[in-house]
Amino acid sequence: MDIQMVNSMDFGEFVDVLGNIIEKCPLIAAAIWSQRPFTDLADLEKHVFDFIEALPQSGKEGILRCHPDLAGRELQQGTLTPESQREQRGAGLSNLGPEERRRLDQLNYEYKARFGFPFVIAARLSDKATMMRELERRLRNQPAQELRAALHEVRKICHLRLEDILRSPGDPAKL
Amino acid sequence: MDIQMVNSMDFGEFVDVLGNIIEKCPLIAAAIWSQRPFTDLADLEKHVFDFIEALPQSGKEGILRCHPDLAGRELQQGTLTPESQREQRGAGLSNLGPEERRRLDQLNYEYKARFGFPFVIAARLSDKATMMRELERRLRNQPAQELRAALHEVRKICHLRLEDILRSPGDPAKL
């Protein structure tokens, strides 16, 4: 799919295809549809990021709260969005040992209690050891600093999901 | 469920329970969780409505674009959210005659082409004849006027969904 195809979609198709570039926030793709045409992926994602940046702090936190826990209940129950499922499985989170699971549950719990949103990280750019280390490190951030760090991860996830969509389906070498 | 129970929820529970008070926009419930405690339903919904009001026009349109068509593909395929399913079925939209269906498809199409979002109406406060008349009437609105009218319906839908949640589960007379 190329950017011309994306630009030619009615809002129903656009939200069907791009609705989850920000996890469980189709509102954002639906909003930026108003701003077509986009020149390329970078232009499209700039509109997404500008929309997020203009939200009040509660709205930014709201985006984070729409994300699942890393290796949480939804991964175990198979109720993740297809994108999150792929990302978490790919990072090795679907086969944790009992000790890793206990440790991750504990850190997720502490993180959520401290910041009021779940730990978000671009799992596809990481692996389980790195994610665990990052979680421990970011747990020590100040709240405002951590909100920025978490939104930075949201943008990385969005970029990767957009790349998947805009990649030619006829070019398996890139998949 | 009473407002104290709502106030005592962690953000995961809060989004599970209230995530769809604005159709497919859990971001909004997730955002206003930051503003607990709420004194009552009116106070909670005021935070929701204020959040929506502060969005740029594209964001308000985005909310509308997350709504399904009246008696559209999703009703026929059974892929509506449970709330929308109940509302549309209750208003008699699941048993339209062929002529009503043709007419409604045509009006939905014209409406979306004119305004760039689907026709939204609080179906539980209406019936299919009234909805059809309203669709014809609102199709003649100016775009800015219609955006306001549609968001007014979103607020009515939200109010009814919140009433459902806050109603005592032990009091079937109210259901």
Side-chain angles (χ1 to χ4, degrees):
Chain A
M1 181 169 304
D2 61 20
I3 197 73
Q4 281 73 34
M5 280 183 68
V6 170
N7 285 329
S8 70
M9 289 176 176
D10 66 33
F11 67 81
E13 295 168 320
F14 191 87
V15 175
D16 280 350
V17 173
L18 298 161
N20 214 45
I21 55 175
I22 304 294
E23 178 78 7
K24 292 192 185 162
C25 296
L27 160 56
I28 298 177
I32 66 142
W33 182 81
S34 302
Q35 291 145 8
R36 287 158 311 135
F38 307 106
T39 53
D40 53 19
L41 186 154
D43 182 45
L44 194 160
E45 75 178 6
K46 184 177 182 312
H47 283 89
V48 172
F49 300 164
D50 287 351
F51 185 90
I52 294 173
E53 203 46 46
L55 288 174
Q57 179 175 333
S58 65
K60 292 172 180 150
E61 292 172 351
I63 290 174
L64 296 167
R65 290 182 194 125
C66 291
H67 285 71
D69 283 350
L70 270 192
R73 186 168 47 96
E74 291 164 290
L75 176 65
Q76 291 160 54
Q77 296 178 343
T79 55
L80 287 174
T81 62
E83 294 87 348
S84 284
Q85 170 88 5
R86 211 160 39 233
E87 291 157 2
Q88 293 208 17
R89 288 182 71 91
L93 292 173
S94 49
N95 45 17
L96 296 179
E99 179 51 33
E100 288 173 317
R101 164 156 310 288
R102 200 202 51 77
R103 180 76 186 132
L104 190 54
D105 284 351
Q106 175 64 27
L107 289 170
N108 274 335
Y109 179 84
E110 286 174 29
Y111 183 98
K112 291 193 281 189
R114 173 158 167 77
F115 298 115
F117 47 79
F119 177 68
V120 174
I121 188 166
R124 276 161 72 179
L125 304 176
S126 195
D127 57 53
K128 63 184 179 184
T130 311
M131 285 189 282
M132 207 85 96
R133 263 201 317 276
E134 275 295 284
L135 178 40
E136 287 177 338
R137 186 185 65 78
R138 284 170 48 189
L139 200 41
R140 295 190 294 268
N141 275 346
Q142 290 306 303
Q145 180 186 22
E146 180 53 23
L147 179 61
R148 283 195 303 276
L151 290 169
H152 186 58
E153 297 298 317
V154 168
R155 291 194 296 271
K156 287 198 263 182
I157 296 167
C158 175
H159 180 82
L160 292 166
R161 292 183 179 182
L162 268 175
E163 277 191 344
D164 283 346
I165 294 167
L166 284 166
R167 201 170 268 158
S168 307
D171 189 351
K174 288 184 177 172
L175 285 171
Chain B
M1 183 169 303
D2 61 20
I3 198 73
Q4 280 73 32
M5 280 183 69
V6 170
N7 285 329
S8 70
M9 289 175 175
D10 66 34
F11 67 81
E13 296 168 320
F14 192 87
V15 175
D16 280 349
V17 173
L18 297 160
N20 213 45
I21 54 174
I22 303 295
E23 179 77 8
K24 291 189 185 165
C25 295
L27 159 57
I28 298 178
I32 65 142
W33 182 81
S34 302
Q35 290 144 9
R36 289 157 308 134
F38 308 106
T39 52
D40 52 20
L41 185 155
D43 181 46
L44 193 160
E45 75 177 7
K46 184 176 183 313
H47 283 90
V48 172
F49 300 164
D50 287 350
F51 185 90
I52 294 173
E53 203 46 46
L55 289 173
Q57 180 174 332
S58 66
K60 291 172 181 152
E61 292 171 352
I63 290 174
L64 295 168
R65 289 182 195 124
C66 290
H67 284 71
D69 283 349
L70 271 191
R73 188 169 46 94
E74 290 165 292
L75 177 64
Q76 292 160 54
Q77 296 177 344
T79 55
L80 288 174
T81 61
E83 293 88 346
S84 284
Q85 170 87 6
R86 211 159 41 229
E87 290 156 3
Q88 293 208 17
R89 289 183 70 92
L93 292 172
S94 49
N95 45 17
L96 295 178
E99 180 51 34
E100 287 173 318
R101 163 156 310 290
R102 199 201 53 76
R103 179 76 185 132
L104 189 56
D105 284 351
Q106 175 63 26
L107 289 171
N108 273 336
Y109 178 84
E110 287 174 30
Y111 183 98
K112 290 193 281 189
R114 174 158 165 76
F115 298 115
F117 47 79
F119 177 67
V120 173
I121 188 167
R124 276 161 73 180
L125 304 176
S126 195
D127 57 53
K128 64 185 178 183
T130 311
M131 284 189 282
M132 207 85 98
R133 263 200 318 275
E134 275 295 285
L135 178 40
E136 288 178 339
R137 186 184 67 76
R138 284 170 47 187
L139 201 40
R140 295 190 294 269
N141 275 347
Q142 290 306 305
Q145 179 184 23
E146 180 52 21
L147 179 61
R148 282 195 303 276
L151 290 169
H152 185 57
E153 296 299 316
V154 168
R155 292 194 296 272
K156 287 198 262 182
I157 296 166
C158 175
H159 180 81
L160 291 167
R161 291 183 179 181
L162 268 175
E163 277 191 343
D164 283 347
I165 294 166
L166 284 166
R167 200 172 267 156
S168 306
D171 188 353
K174 286 186 180 171
L175 285 170

